[in-house]
């Protein structure tokens, strides 16, 4: 059986209250991924022969988000879900198969559930299988009206069209349906807009199918959270929480420890090895790949970072960098794009690295800026060392060899090379290359003035008294 999918993503999202009049609801992100792409990710693995996204309001933005994975169809007038599906008629009407219709604002739906619904639909030979959920607070959703005797679904009544008795029904329409494709497009033109919202409701097809003796069945989802629809920002935040919890649970079951999963924010593409421990208030975004037996956090932010094994990374901010094994990073290290750390390094508090390549065993333990620099094996970067890599126009490189000892407060004015086994005296401003096996001192020589203290203080006191007269 061929499988098709129509994702409804044209609606306005008025309740998101954005100041941008073109902001489509389905383009709001959770952990950097748009709502509509959660839906597409969930449905794709069932093996679809055609996927079509209906866009309308803010449609340009939605189109860009999905065009590499789905056909895009425009709904010009946003007059309801029935009219949205009608726009697909020209593409699908002559095909045989089953058509999944799903709202683009339900990011919690899972592949397992979609697979199960397709199976039920196939086995029952329904012309329409609607997905329902039993909710504690059903308000806002369309209610499922069942025949009291046979329990068959008779209709879906939209919240705004319900009588007070119907509003008491807790079984709701999830906004997910599987149709026999032929039947769907044979009858879709019969939908009209005689209702409270003057809209073409897709749900009217239930009554239409019934009248035409087509078989309608319902599938009740086990976990109602899967069909949670996002209409405002409170719901957006809630869905984010559910998604983060799913990611964290999956990682923990694979052998990652989290001291406080509620304050651990990990995005979808992150890989973490076994026995790594994540401490509270840690955010791991982008395409991070983290090895085994690391301790990360507390209060750490990682974005697009590759990390080996056995590292400790505390209270630090690291992006677009690569870290080997057995390193000690932080607290309060900032690592920016292009930084590469070897093995057995120590990068300490208030050290900022940018495009820096630290070979094995380097120590930069306190208060430094190292940018556009290579640092050779076992070099010690003394406290307060700075690479002056920028002249206001150009970025320039600093090359530091192996086993170098940079004294505290060394300033290296780039471009500059410091060769292996050399030494810079504390407080030196280095403007010329440093040769192997040399000790350079580049600071004013210290002078000592005998009784200088008394002489200076007396002069200062006299000056103050003179000014009072
Ligand atoms: C819809 C269902 C309701 C169900 C609920 C589940 C109808 C008539 N109602 O109501 O029974 O309980 O979803 O979440 O179907 N859309 C378009 N074009 C339009 C209107 C909407 O593409 O003209 C899209 C929206 O972008 C959205 C989806 O359809 O992704 C649902 O629209 P929405 O306005 O959120 O419908 P609900 O009132 O939530
Ligand atoms: Mg909705």
């Amino acid at each position: 059986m061929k499988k098709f999918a129509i994702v409804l993503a044209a609606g306005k999202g008025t309740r998101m209250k954005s100041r941008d009049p073109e902001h489509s609801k389905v383009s709001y992100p959770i952990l950097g991924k748009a709502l509509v792409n959660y839906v597409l990710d969930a449905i794709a693995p069932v093996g679809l022969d055609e996927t079509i996204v209906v866009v309308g309001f803010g449609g340009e933005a939605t189109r860009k988000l999905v065009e590499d994975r789905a056909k895009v169809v425009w709904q010009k007038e946003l007059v309801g879900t029935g009219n949205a599906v009608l726009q697909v008629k020209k593409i699908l009407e002559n095909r045989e198969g089953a058509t999944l219709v799903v709202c683009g604002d339900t990011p919690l739906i899972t592949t397992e559930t979609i697979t199960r619904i397709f199976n039920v639909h196939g086995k029952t030979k329904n012309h329409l299988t609607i997905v329902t959920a039993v909710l504690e607070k059903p308000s806002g959703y369309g209610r499922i009206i069942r025949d009291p005797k046979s329990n068959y679904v008779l209709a879906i009544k939209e919240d705004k069209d319900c009588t007070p008795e119907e509003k008491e029904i807790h079984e709701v329409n999830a906004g997910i349906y599987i149709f026999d494709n032929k039947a769907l497009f044979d009858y879709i033109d019969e939908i009209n807009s005689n209702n409270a919202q003057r809209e073409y409701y897709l749900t009217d097809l239930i009554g239409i199918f019934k009248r035409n003796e087509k078989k309608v069945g319902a599938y009740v989802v086990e976990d109602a959270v899967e069909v949670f629809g996002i209409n405002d920002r409170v719901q957006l935040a809630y869905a984010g929480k559910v998604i983060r919890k799913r990611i964290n649970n999956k990682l923990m079951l694979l052998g990652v420890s989290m001291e406080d999963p509620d304050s651990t924010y990990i995005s979808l593409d992150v890989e973490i090895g076994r026995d790594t421990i994540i401490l509270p208030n840690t955010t791991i975004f982008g395409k991070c790949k983290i090895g085994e037996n690391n301790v990360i956090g507390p209060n750490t932010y990682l974005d697009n970072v590759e990390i080996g094994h056995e590292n400790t990374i505390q209270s630090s901010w690291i992006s677009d960098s690569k870290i080997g094994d057995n390193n000690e990073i932080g607290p309060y290290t900032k690592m920016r794009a292009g930084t590469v750390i070897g093995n057995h390094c120590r990068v300490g508090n208030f050290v900022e690295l940018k495009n820096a390549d630290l070979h094995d065993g380097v120590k930069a333990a306190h208060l430094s800026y190292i940018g556009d620099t290579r640092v050779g094996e076992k070099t010690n970067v003394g406290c307060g060392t700075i690479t002056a890599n920028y002249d206001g126009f150009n970025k320039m490189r600093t090359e530091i060899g192996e086993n170098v000892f940079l004294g505290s407060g060394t300033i290296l004015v780039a471009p500059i090379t410091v060769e292996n086994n050399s030494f810079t005296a504390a407080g030196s401003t280095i403007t010329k290359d440093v040769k192997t096996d040399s000790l350079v001192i580049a600071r004013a020589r210290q002078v000592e003035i005998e009784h200088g203290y008394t002489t200076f203080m007396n002069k200062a006191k006299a000056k103050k008294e003179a000014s009072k007269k």
Side-chain angles (χ1 to χ4, degrees):
M1 185 183 57
K2 294 252 187 234
K3 290 181 190 145
F4 314 113
I6 302 171
V7 179
L8 306 183
K12 263 192 178 166
T14 319
R15 286 166 279 180
M16 298 305 273
K17 306 230 169 108
S18 172
R19 63 192 284 273
D20 172 4
E22 288 292 297
H23 203 320
S24 78
K25 181 169 72 173
V26 296
S27 65
Y28 278 86
I30 290 176
L31 293 172
K33 182 160 88 175
L35 298 181
V36 65
N37 277 322
Y38 279 92
V39 176
L40 289 173
D41 282 347
I43 66 176
V46 305
L48 296 163
D49 296 282
E50 196 85 73
T51 306
I52 298 148
V53 178
V54 182
V55 305
F57 184 81
E60 238 349 88
T62 313
R63 187 182 64 78
K64 283 191 192 128
L65 287 168
V66 303
E67 65 185 348
D68 59 334
R69 54 196 316 200
K71 265 196 187 137
V72 171
V73 164
W74 287 80
Q75 184 189 15
K76 294 215 170 64
E77 275 180 286
L78 306 179
V79 287
T81 46
N83 179 264
V85 174
L86 182 65
Q87 310 311 311
V88 182
K89 187 170 179 179
K90 50 191 178 295
I91 299 179
L92 284 185
E93 66 178 332
N94 295 320
R95 318 255 326 240
E96 298 267 350
T99 302
L100 168 74
V101 177
V102 56
C103 297
D105 64 353
T106 53
L108 302 181
I109 189 72
T110 63
T111 304
E112 294 72 42
T113 297
I114 297 288
T115 308
R116 228 172 285 145
I117 306 164
F118 265 112
N119 289 343
V120 169
H121 181 79
K123 273 196 203 121
T124 52
K125 300 205 163 51
N126 285 335
H127 291 99
L128 165 58
T129 307
I130 59 170
V131 179
T132 76
V134 179
L135 300 185
E136 215 178 291
K137 291 183 190 155
S139 89
Y141 287 87
R143 306 297 203 285
I144 306 296
I145 314 292
R146 287 182 184 263
D147 185 273
K149 282 196 197 116
S150 67
N151 205 33
Y152 282 137
V153 176
L154 295 176
I156 294 175
K157 273 276 198 79
E158 287 310 300
D159 192 66
K160 288 189 177 129
D161 300 306
C162 280
T163 63
E165 293 78 44
E166 286 165 343
K167 286 207 179 204
E168 294 301 312
I169 297 172
H170 286 257
E171 187 180 12
V172 303
N173 172 23
I176 301 169
Y177 323 81
I178 298 183
F179 289 92
D180 170 77
N181 188 63
K182 282 274 184 183
L184 169 63
F185 291 109
D186 280 350
Y187 292 103
I188 194 158
D189 294 299
E190 292 188 20
I191 299 174
N192 63 42
S193 59
N194 299 332
N195 52 56
Q197 302 188 84
R198 299 268 137 228
E199 279 190 7
Y200 294 84
Y201 293 161
L202 183 66
T203 44
D204 283 358
L205 277 176
I206 294 161
I208 296 168
F209 272 28
K210 287 267 171 191
R211 283 201 296 283
N212 290 282
E213 290 172 355
K214 299 284 165 203
K215 201 173 166 212
V216 179
Y219 173 86
V220 190
V221 285
E222 269 168 46
D223 186 359
V225 82
E226 287 202 29
V227 301
F228 185 73
I230 311 290
N231 296 313
D232 60 38
R233 294 183 198 235
V234 176
Q235 292 167 332
L236 182 69
Y238 176 77
K241 208 170 182 166
V242 173
I243 288 169
R244 287 198 303 273
K245 194 169 176 177
R246 283 181 184 171
I247 295 169
N248 290 353
N249 285 354
K250 189 171 158 195
L251 286 167
M252 287 189 281
L253 292 172
L254 288 171
V256 177
S257 283
M258 288 178 202
E259 207 163 78
D260 180 22
D262 287 342
S263 71
T264 303
Y265 302 78
I266 300 182
S267 71
L268 297 134
D269 297 325
V270 171
E271 287 172 39
I272 307 181
R274 288 190 289 179
D275 296 326
T276 284
I277 301 170
I278 314 287
L279 298 175
N281 289 325
T282 293
T283 296
I284 308 180
F285 277 180
K287 289 197 186 311
C288 282
K289 201 168 169 218
I290 299 171
E292 297 181 350
N293 231 8
N294 298 287
V295 180
I296 296 173
N299 310 317
T300 293
Y301 176 90
L302 306 176
D303 189 0
N304 280 328
V305 187
E306 212 178 293
I307 296 172
H309 310 299
E310 316 262 350
N311 298 283
T312 60
I313 301 177
Q314 266 189 68
S315 299
S316 291
W317 189 103
I318 304 176
S319 80
D320 304 292
S321 297
K322 208 172 156 188
I323 295 169
D325 303 332
N326 297 290
N327 298 289
E328 244 183 89
I329 314 286
Y332 315 117
T333 297
K334 182 175 187 187
M335 258 185 231
R336 291 157 54 203
T339 295
V340 179
I341 308 287
N343 307 313
H344 297 282
C345 294
R346 162 99 187 88
V347 183
N349 47 301
F350 306 107
V351 174
E352 179 174 345
L353 306 177
K354 194 259 320 187
N355 191 25
D357 185 2
L358 270 54
H359 292 198
D360 295 356
V362 167
K363 288 198 181 89
H366 344 259
L367 304 162
S368 280
Y369 172 67
I370 304 172
D372 303 308
T373 300
R374 180 184 64 86
V375 187
E377 272 185 39
K378 295 201 173 113
T379 282
N380 185 79
V381 179
C383 172
T385 294
I386 286 168
T387 56
N389 63 334
Y390 185 51
D391 60 8
F393 297 96
N394 310 291
K395 295 281 166 64
M396 285 153 300
R397 284 199 61 80
T398 301
E399 296 287 338
I400 304 168
E402 298 169 9
N403 283 311
V404 171
F405 188 94
L406 298 170
S408 297
T410 297
I411 294 181
L412 298 155
V413 182
I416 200 146
T417 301
V418 180
E419 292 180 2
N420 297 344
N421 305 305
S422 60
F423 194 114
T424 65
S428 291
T429 296
I430 308 294
T431 54
K432 287 187 216 141
D433 289 354
V434 176
K435 299 253 154 37
T436 297
D437 200 21
S438 62
L439 161 64
V440 293
I441 308 170
R443 62 179 182 226
R445 192 174 280 278
Q446 185 164 318
V447 285
E448 187 176 321
I449 300 165
E450 226 174 297
H451 306 300
Y453 175 82
T454 312
T455 314
F456 179 84
M457 287 302 175
N458 288 346
K459 267 193 197 161
K461 203 171 160 196
K463 192 175 169 190
K464 175 116 195 229
E465 271 158 21
S467 73
K468 278 189 200 156
K469 284 179 191 159

